[in-house]
Amino acid sequence: MKAFTYERAQSPAQAAAAVARKPGAKFLAGGTNLLDLMKLQIETPTHLVDVQDLKLDRIEETAEGGLRIGALVRNTALASDMRVRRDYGVLTKAIVAGASGQLRNKATTAGNLLQRTRCPYFYDTNQPCNKRQPGSGCGAIGGVSRQLGVIGVSDACIATYPGDMAVALRLLDAHVETVDPQGAVRSIPIGEFHRLWGDTPHLETSLKRGELITAVTLPRPIGGRHLYHKVRDRASYAFALVSVAAVIHPDGSGRVAFGGVAPRPWRVEAAEEAMPRGAQAVTAQVFAEARPTADNRFKLQLATRTLAGVMAEARA
Amino acid sequence: MKFETPAGKNPIDQLKVVGRATSRIDGRLKTTGNAPYAYEQHDVAAHQAYGFVVGAAIAKGRITAMDTTLARAAPGVVAVIGTLDHAQPLPKSRFNTAHLFGGPQVEHYHQAIALVVADSFEQARAAAALIRTDYAREPGQFDLAKAAPDAPLVPGSKGKPDVARVGDFDTAFTQAPVQLDRSYTTPDESHAMMEPHATIAAWDGDRLTVWTSNQMIAWGKASLATTLGMPPEKIRLNAPFIGGGFGGKLFIRADVVLAALGAKAAGRPVKLALTRPMMMNNTTHRPATIQRVRLGATRDGKLTAIAHSSASGDLPGGDPEAAVSQTQLLYAAPHRETFMKLAVLDLPEGNAMRAPGEAPGLMVLEMAMDEMAEKLGMDPVEFRILNDTQVDPAKPDRSFSQRHLIECLRTGAEKFGWSKRNPKPAQVREGRWLIGMGVAAGFRNNLLMKSAARIRLERGGRLTVETDMTDIGTGSYTILAQTAAEMMGVPLDAVTVKLGDSDFPASAGSGGQWGGNNSTAGLYAACVKLRAMVAQTLGLSENAHFADGKVIEGEKALPLAQAAREGPLTAEDLIEYGTLDKQYQQSTFASHFVEAAVDAYTGETRIRRMLAVCDAGRILNPKAARSQVIGAMTMGVGAALSEELAVDKRFGYFVNHDLAGYEVAVHADIPHQEVMFLDYPDDKSSPMKAKGVGELGLCGVGAAIANAIYNATGVRVRDYPITLDKHLEHLPVLA
Ligand SMILES: Cc1cc2nc3c(=O)[nH]c(=O)nc-3n(C[C@H](O)[C@H](O)[C@H](O)COP(=O)(O)OP(=O)(O)OC[C@H]3O[C@@H](n4cnc5c(N)ncnc54)[C@H](O)[C@@H]3O)c2cc1C
Ligand code: SF4
């Protein structure tokens, strides 16, 4: 860990301005991802702006009949909120499939969205990694890549966005609300929030420097059966090899998004009209452009089979 | 005391304290956080500075330059030691394959190449990142599959032939009406114990004390003396509590060497711990194997020919993973052949991990037995029973001291409901789950090692036991207290046990499941001496009997404490062994039964039930033994389903070097576990009539799981761990 300075911001605009002011400054929320990365010197911020006093920890109903989730709402609180459990069950299921009870008590909504990849080469500072050190090469291509991405990846980086919560948010058409250092607010559709890696895998989201996430909003509930199936090598406490978030209606129509396969939660809306025809019909379109490695080719079949299982569960 | 003839009746047979399920006497200290582990010995030496170890960034090559200027100038830094400070690697003991520190040559990834000592841990870590090292990389061999075909045979130990042969395997196998010839692989594995390798070192003039985490105190002291080039008498090694080792702490590692060097350079005590990635690439691991088993049998299921070979790799001068050893003893067959090959690999050092040899060996042999049973159309339990042997197949006049494998299998089958298993695979479904049952035999030798202990009758009648034996979480404190209490006729809480100090008599230490039997036998010997001293002091004969805090002979019953009225009485002795382990084959046996469920959609495996039935001599403390066995079964679940150090074959290191990437089983993976002990005292093992059990619990578990998965799915995966990608495409296609 490199020495850094620290301050606690008192308002969202002030926090955004504080980060914009100092080169190398970052926001600190629950710290469960950022501090780990700092200990390994993968992240080396010079200044931390702690956002925990910003009172962004409420879940409110919106005028449109949806929910507005404060950026600092803890994962545990979000997953256990009665409205979320009732109307957005897929979100609860996705959150509790992630990390551990202790981590979820600490992890925040914004921090979770911004968690970084779990590529093992990213985690070892002796190894080349374009994401950690632009231009150094990608250790994972030609290396151990079983966990890594099969679609939306590039020649510069094949890492995945590893999280669970965001897969459900993508399915639910959430928006990310922000305030920038000038005090301007905007609302980013979740589908445009995480970038594909392209040639610049170190740029991971559409946030600008100093832009603070204040909330995540959910549109009106869409009904249907809410399901999340996370596949992993052990029963708990592991990142997804593949995960499937789905909302399925009695006629077999619905929505589906995949985790553990791409730089962002992977959803192809156009493929969803094939849902009544079964899993294969959907994944054939969703993964049409897949570029797996020899190590992770199995994820394609796994995605289809997992979706088939989810569809069967919806019918049961 | 020399143990040369089978034990007769002795005070341990009373079983008033020994043999009873007893909670750990150190349990309260541990659960309340008051058992200080090496890194937590805050009070033993004042003014401790913190060390941070830097690991090599390449797997093989030379360090051409190292610039420590920035690190030395960083805040709080007290001292910096670089590998180039030494022209040559420091000498290593016979226990170490890789050098621990010094010189320009890099032998493996994360080899320790520098140490930074600072006032705080954070300062040391930050400064360590400022060291700049230039390397000249050299090509290395990191791929076992590539290296194995040309690897040389491992020479037979003690003049035995390289290939161990009985009868004429080739002919018998060729003529066998039913044959099986299969290859299997097991991966590199990490011990992944909770407590890292950690040491506090303090110098007092030319005397060195280290508080460290080590399973074998006497070996550690001797090795450290060799590496530091100093007389062993000047070293004191102390490891009263150890947060797991599994073989990863049998030998000294870079932490203790660098703490000592750092403390010297800093002029004050230094504490340091290896980081988790360093544990995986700097220390040792269980080496991967490529194994082949050939079995020949008659149509009615009698094995006529057994061959087992294994190839593994290690650094130059290293050792093989002895995966074929159990195959020499487990089943009868007149014609046999076993051998090993050892390739040179430039990966980190391969070395002992819990049940070295047997753990991966049985994962394979017992899967092959399952395959053969199926070929023969036999029940796998009956097939094993039919091929049991009561003698060493290579020397039929040499019998096992005891062997109740058949009873383990029969009892286990009965208890587990084995008769409900459908022998035809892929038949049982519960919703999306494919259900199967599997069985495997467990086998691990019982090793006899000399072991010494001291016992003191204090004024007032309390007893103090001192031995350098270690408790690596196994329950050593408790079984030693039970032994002393039984021998001296006092309650358990009248005994204080002090362990893990090199100033105490040298014990067998903890490893190879030899610790329990040998260390208690050493204490037994010391107690026999103390009983004689007490009897003499009290004017009684050797026939006096010790019970209820009294020494009793005829009409006389004197308080034990009376013998120490004039001052403490101290006895020290050593158990040494004659040739009973040559005359008899001493081994331990188990049956493992597993029910597994495989998700027909995703291929995920979830274990549902596990049962182990163990035949391991007298069980000194059923509670501690059960804990050992369920822990071992848990480790077996990891080995079967998820544990694998993934090798980057270009850069030569284990990529998944943390507990997020190296997946041991978690609570959610562990189902209902049951353990039964047959509890037959073995009079040839020691006066305690006990044998090892801590490794037995792991032996065979992996294969029982693999066989259950096969029974569930009908897909045979011969490449551990059995992750879902390996059978996914062969599972039934579901809409
Ligand atoms: C052992 C382990 C296992 C895990 N397993 C899983 C898993 O299975 N599934 C899963 O989904 N996740 C998993 N996680 C990740 C976990 O969900 C994240 O660490 C957590 O959600 C991050 O939230 P935080 O509040 O602690 O973020 P922090 O670590 O505080 O911040 C993360 C990033 O977000 C930025 N940030 C924080 N708040 C804001 C804001 N308001 N505006 C702008 N930027 C902000 C920070 O600057 C930082 O870059 C695991 C983590 C660990 C350590
Ligand atoms: S896949 Fe991406 S994160 Fe991983 S090594 Fe390559 S560039 Fe780095």
Side-chain angles (χ1 to χ4, degrees), chain A residues 116-123 127-133 136-141 144-145 148-149 153-160 197 201-202 204:
Chain A
R116 304 199 67 191
T117 188
R118 294 281 162 171
C119 170
Y121 296 88
F122 174 74
Y123 266 84
Q127 303 307 333
C129 172
N130 287 325
K131 180 182 284 300
R132 178 169 30 76
Q133 205 185 329
S136 62
C138 170
I141 296 176
V144 176
S145 59
L148 304 195
V153 293
S154 72
D155 291 340
C157 178
I158 58 169
T160 59
W197 306 141
H202 59 293
E204 299 181 340

Side-chain angles (χ1 to χ4, degrees), chain B residues 309-516:
Chain B
S309 60
S310 171
S312 59
D314 203 355
L315 289 164
D319 291 314
E321 178 71 21
V324 304
S325 50
Q326 73 286 323
T327 307
Q328 298 175 345
L329 292 162
L330 190 49
Y331 297 112
H335 305 284
R336 325 170 65 92
E337 180 180 294
T338 51
F339 62 89
M340 293 185 287
K341 290 180 162 191
L342 179 60
V344 169
L345 292 182
D346 299 296
L347 290 169
E349 175 177 334
N351 214 317
M353 175 168 149
R354 198 175 197 173
E358 278 88 348
L362 284 161
M363 283 163 82
V364 165
L365 177 66
E366 287 297 285
M367 176 149 34
M369 287 294 285
D370 201 64
E371 297 200 56
M372 191 58 160
E374 191 185 28
K375 270 200 166 192
L376 290 160
M378 282 183 78
D379 178 87
V381 170
E382 296 305 325
F383 176 50
R384 287 177 172 86
I385 289 172
L386 183 67
N387 289 289
D388 185 60
T389 176
Q390 292 292 317
V391 298
D392 175 350
K395 299 191 192 99
D397 52 345
R398 182 169 175 261
S399 65
F400 284 90
S401 61
Q402 287 203 347
R403 174 165 168 141
H404 303 102
L405 177 60
I406 293 178
E407 189 178 339
C408 290
L409 288 161
R410 289 226 188 279
T411 307
E414 165 82 33
K415 177 94 189 165
F416 198 71
W418 180 253
S419 60
K420 297 201 190 74
R421 168 182 178 266
N422 189 329
K424 198 162 169 233
Q427 300 303 306
V428 184
R429 277 285 287 275
E430 280 178 27
R432 62 191 294 156
W433 296 100
L434 311 172
I435 316 291
M437 288 191 208
V439 65
F443 175 93
R444 172 86 176 139
N445 284 335
N446 181 58
L447 302 176
L448 301 182
M449 309 252 291
K450 65 181 180 192
S451 192
R454 183 154 63 214
I455 180 161
R456 197 162 51 243
L457 178 65
E458 312 280 5
R459 258 185 229 269
R462 285 193 64 80
L463 291 162
T464 305
V465 173
E466 291 172 340
T467 161
D468 84 355
M469 179 59 190
T470 48
D471 189 321
I472 58 175
T474 42
S476 307
Y477 277 104
T478 312
I479 54 170
L480 287 164
Q482 288 174 275
T483 303
E486 192 79 75
M487 289 298 289
M488 303 309 298
V490 299
L492 195 65
D493 60 12
V495 184
T496 302
V497 181
K498 295 184 176 171
L499 300 182
D501 190 328
S502 64
D503 285 352
F504 297 154
S507 71
S510 299
Q513 75 169 11
W514 63 60

Side-chain angles (χ1 to χ4, degrees), chain B residues 39-304:
Chain B
Y39 200 81
E40 301 166 335
Q41 299 263 20
H42 307 301
D43 306 327
V44 292
H47 209 43
Q48 297 174 8
Y50 294 80
F52 194 84
V53 181
V54 180
I58 64 165
K60 191 168 158 67
R62 283 174 69 81
I63 293 177
T64 52
M66 182 181 285
D67 184 354
T68 58
T69 324
L70 289 174
R72 284 177 201 279
V77 170
V78 182
V80 178
I81 296 173
T83 193
L84 298 182
D85 300 352
H86 302 263
Q88 297 291 326
L90 297 181
K92 61 187 173 75
S93 79
R94 66 187 171 96
F95 296 114
N96 290 87
T97 303
H99 289 96
L100 295 175
F101 191 67
Q105 210 64 37
V106 175
E107 297 172 3
H108 63 89
Y109 193 69
H110 273 175
Q111 173 179 317
I113 58 166
L115 172 77
V116 177
V117 179
D119 289 328
S120 77
F121 169 74
E122 288 75 13
Q123 289 170 329
R125 183 175 58 185
L130 299 173
I131 294 177
R132 290 288 155 260
T133 308
D134 295 333
Y135 301 93
R137 280 182 196 257
E138 291 164 18
Q141 177 59 272
F142 310 116
D143 188 343
L144 177 63
K146 274 209 183 121
D150 301 324
L153 277 175
V154 175
S157 62
K158 296 177 199 145
K160 290 189 191 140
D162 301 353
V163 178
R165 290 199 174 92
V166 178
D168 175 1
F169 172 79
D170 287 333
T171 309
F173 182 67
T174 321
Q175 292 171 357
V178 186
Q179 297 171 358
L180 182 93
D181 180 353
R182 294 279 189 219
S183 292
Y184 306 81
T185 64
T186 64
D188 296 290
E189 290 175 9
S190 178
H191 307 84
M193 59 283 188
M194 281 307 284
E195 187 204 16
H197 300 81
T199 301
I200 297 173
W203 291 88
D204 178 7
D206 64 349
R207 303 188 73 85
L208 171 67
T209 305
V210 293
W211 293 267
T212 189
S213 190
N214 190 291
Q215 301 173 222
M216 300 291 298
I217 302 299
W219 292 359
K221 173 171 156 170
S223 300
L224 189 57
T226 304
T227 297
L228 296 178
M230 61 188 284
E233 314 80 71
K234 304 238 175 203
I235 296 178
R236 179 168 165 233
L237 204 129
N238 195 303
F241 296 103
I242 294 155
F246 304 128
K249 295 171 180 168
L250 285 170
F251 317 116
I252 61 164
R253 308 258 52 111
D255 59 308
V256 62
V257 175
L258 283 169
L261 296 178
K264 179 138 255 177
R268 60 194 258 208
V270 165
K271 78 157 69 165
L272 62 87
L274 298 185
T275 61
R276 183 64 61 178
M278 289 282 280
M279 289 171 70
M280 287 167 170
N281 279 290
N282 173 271
T283 74
T284 60
H285 63 279
R286 188 202 299 284
T289 64
I290 301 173
Q291 303 181 43
R292 181 181 180 199
V293 177
R294 285 171 291 166
L295 302 175
T298 61
R299 289 202 194 285
D300 56 3
K302 270 274 184 200
L303 286 170
T304 53

